[in-house]
Amino acid sequence: MGNSPSADSSGSYRRHGPQFTDRIVAEPSGETEWTVEPGRYRLVVSLACPWAHRSLIVRRLMGLEDAISLAIVDPLQDDRSWRFSLDEDGVDPVLRQRHLEEAYLARDPEHGTDNGVSVPALVEESTGRLVTNDFPHITVDLGIEWAKYQRPGAPTLYPPELRAEIDAVNEGVFHDVNNGVYKAGFATRQSRYEEAYTALFARLDELDERLADQRYLVGDHITEADIRLFTTLVRFDAVYHGHFKCNRQKLAEFEHLWPYARDLYQTPGFGDTVDFDHIKRHYYQVHTSINPTQIVPLGPEPAAWLEPHRREDLGGSPFGPDGTPPAPLDGPLRPLPPLDM
């Protein structure tokens, strides 16, 4: 997620793919591959952003906190996009930067804010230089390439025997759900909005049916597919239902998707990386073309996410037969000050 999105001349929202697609791998073989090395990289995320949230979940599930440091940006952007204004003196203590744009400029001096400054981003600590903002591959590589430094009991999120099915599920979820809510929310023509809205709920209906008799989207434990869907679902009722006009029904009104989402939320690594305050402040205060008053809604009540789900009756286990949950977090990731009244 980068700067405030907009529609093209047809009234359709177009998402631009990552511009820096280098990979961090265990055995580099080319100029665009960097070496896995603990303490070398800093993961920069926004707790508001669903695309960045994926990498935060995977880092935690894999137990890579000691290997890859974490920076959390302010959910509110300025004219230079994501900023480190939640840190002391507004400067990231490791990168010594005020804006993530500085890491982009260190990588490419010709890169300006107009070209997009997005999270998640992996930045080399010693140089402050952006390595990659390739959000689809960041999570896959954290799950595979960093195996040497993962915690005991870490799950296998992208098992070879299930990759074709995971990829197929992810493809539909990306176009119709992850990106679909944005296509509905930022459409500037009625027809484009209705196309996105129809595709979104057709896909959600399909997923709801898929989850009627299986606990997870693919296989019998959490995979990349569940992580990619969850970060949209957890924002659905708080943001997308009203703010993006995705209002045929709430997530809480789906027979199977709602208990499925609660099951994931109550799994260590998922709910403990959700911050509804960051989420709502970003969407409702940054997207002034949609919400010019910048009023942030108080609801919905987050306690509903802790209601029993009974999905364990379908079998399977979150981390696989030999997996274990990550250790509990010490506290909230990055609390915000009270809203100005």
Side-chain angles (χ1 to χ4, degrees):
M1 180 188 288
N3 304 70
S4 188
S6 59
D8 64 16
S9 59
S10 74
S12 298
Y13 167 69
R14 306 289 183 187
R15 179 172 297 280
H16 301 291
Q19 294 176 289
F20 299 96
T21 56
D22 290 13
R23 307 276 292 271
I24 300 174
V25 298
E27 298 181 3
S29 60
E31 292 183 357
T32 61
E33 293 183 338
W34 300 56
T35 304
V36 164
E37 186 179 334
R40 182 177 178 183
Y41 308 103
R42 189 157 177 81
L43 176 64
V44 182
V45 304
S46 163
L47 299 182
C49 172
W51 316 93
H53 190 184
R54 299 173 178 184
S55 60
L56 189 61
I57 291 172
V58 175
R59 173 180 175 269
R60 176 146 162 65
L61 292 178
M62 297 296 103
L64 293 171
E65 291 91 342
D66 291 337
I68 304 170
S69 67
L70 179 68
I72 296 174
V73 296
D74 194 313
L76 305 184
Q77 299 155 295
D78 62 16
D79 57 0
R80 293 187 66 183
S81 191
W82 299 112
R83 52 187 180 161
F84 297 108
S85 49
L86 301 181
D87 290 298
E88 186 176 357
D89 297 325
V91 177
D92 180 84
V94 173
L95 302 177
R96 308 308 303 169
Q97 297 172 348
R98 291 186 177 275
H99 291 83
L100 179 57
E101 182 193 31
E102 295 172 52
Y104 279 72
L105 292 172
R107 171 68 183 268
D108 177 9
E110 301 300 318
H111 188 91
T113 307
D114 290 344
N115 295 318
V117 176
S118 67
V119 288
L122 279 162
V123 180
E124 187 176 38
E125 291 188 2
S126 62
T127 63
R129 181 169 53 145
L130 178 77
V131 175
T132 180
N133 66 345
D134 190 353
F135 63 90
H137 285 119
I138 285 175
T139 53
V140 170
D141 290 342
L142 290 178
I144 297 174
E145 301 295 335
W146 289 77
K148 183 178 178 180
Y149 305 100
Q150 292 168 6
R151 66 179 179 86
T156 302
L157 299 176
Y158 196 47
E161 69 277 12
L162 297 178
R163 287 179 188 176
E165 187 176 0
I166 291 171
D167 291 346
V169 171
N170 285 347
E171 182 75 8
V173 166
F174 172 80
H175 288 291
D176 297 334
V177 182
N178 300 147
N179 204 34
V181 293
Y182 285 86
K183 289 189 284 187
F186 289 106
T188 56
R189 292 189 182 179
Q190 185 71 27
S191 59
R192 296 294 179 259
Y193 160 72
E194 292 182 7
E195 287 171 3
Y197 175 103
T198 300
L200 166 66
F201 283 101
R203 184 69 64 181
L204 290 177
D205 287 340
E206 176 188 299
L207 293 167
D208 193 61
E209 183 177 353
R210 182 185 185 96
L211 291 163
D213 55 6
Q214 61 188 66
R215 188 172 181 182
Y216 302 108
L217 284 174
V218 181
D220 59 5
H221 69 274
I222 290 163
T223 67
E224 273 276 333
D226 300 294
I227 293 165
R228 296 187 184 199
L229 179 58
F230 173 78
T231 58
T232 297
L233 294 184
V234 80
R235 289 160 173 78
F236 199 89
D237 289 359
V239 175
Y240 304 140
H241 178 270
H243 187 58
F244 279 178
K245 306 178 184 68
C246 300
N247 61 354
R248 192 195 76 180
Q249 68 194 95
K250 296 177 180 178
L251 173 65
E253 295 166 348
F254 279 92
E255 182 178 4
H256 306 296
L257 274 171
W258 174 226
Y260 161 80
R262 296 201 312 276
D263 185 6
L264 291 177
Y265 184 89
Q266 294 170 35
T267 300
F270 286 82
D272 53 20
T273 60
V274 173
D275 193 307
F276 287 113
D277 196 9
H278 278 248
I279 290 168
K280 290 192 292 185
R281 290 203 204 187
H282 172 78
Y283 282 95
Y284 288 102
Q285 293 192 296
V286 170
H287 300 158
T288 53
S289 63
I290 299 175
N291 186 40
T293 65
Q294 297 182 292
I295 298 297
V296 179
L298 294 178
E301 175 53 56
W305 285 91
L306 300 177
E307 294 175 357
H309 53 77
R310 299 182 175 84
R311 295 283 294 177
E312 64 274 6
D313 295 344
L314 295 173
S317 59
F319 306 105
D322 301 318
T324 58
L329 289 173
D330 294 334
L333 290 165
R334 176 74 76 168
L336 293 172
L339 282 164
D340 293 333
M341 302 301 289

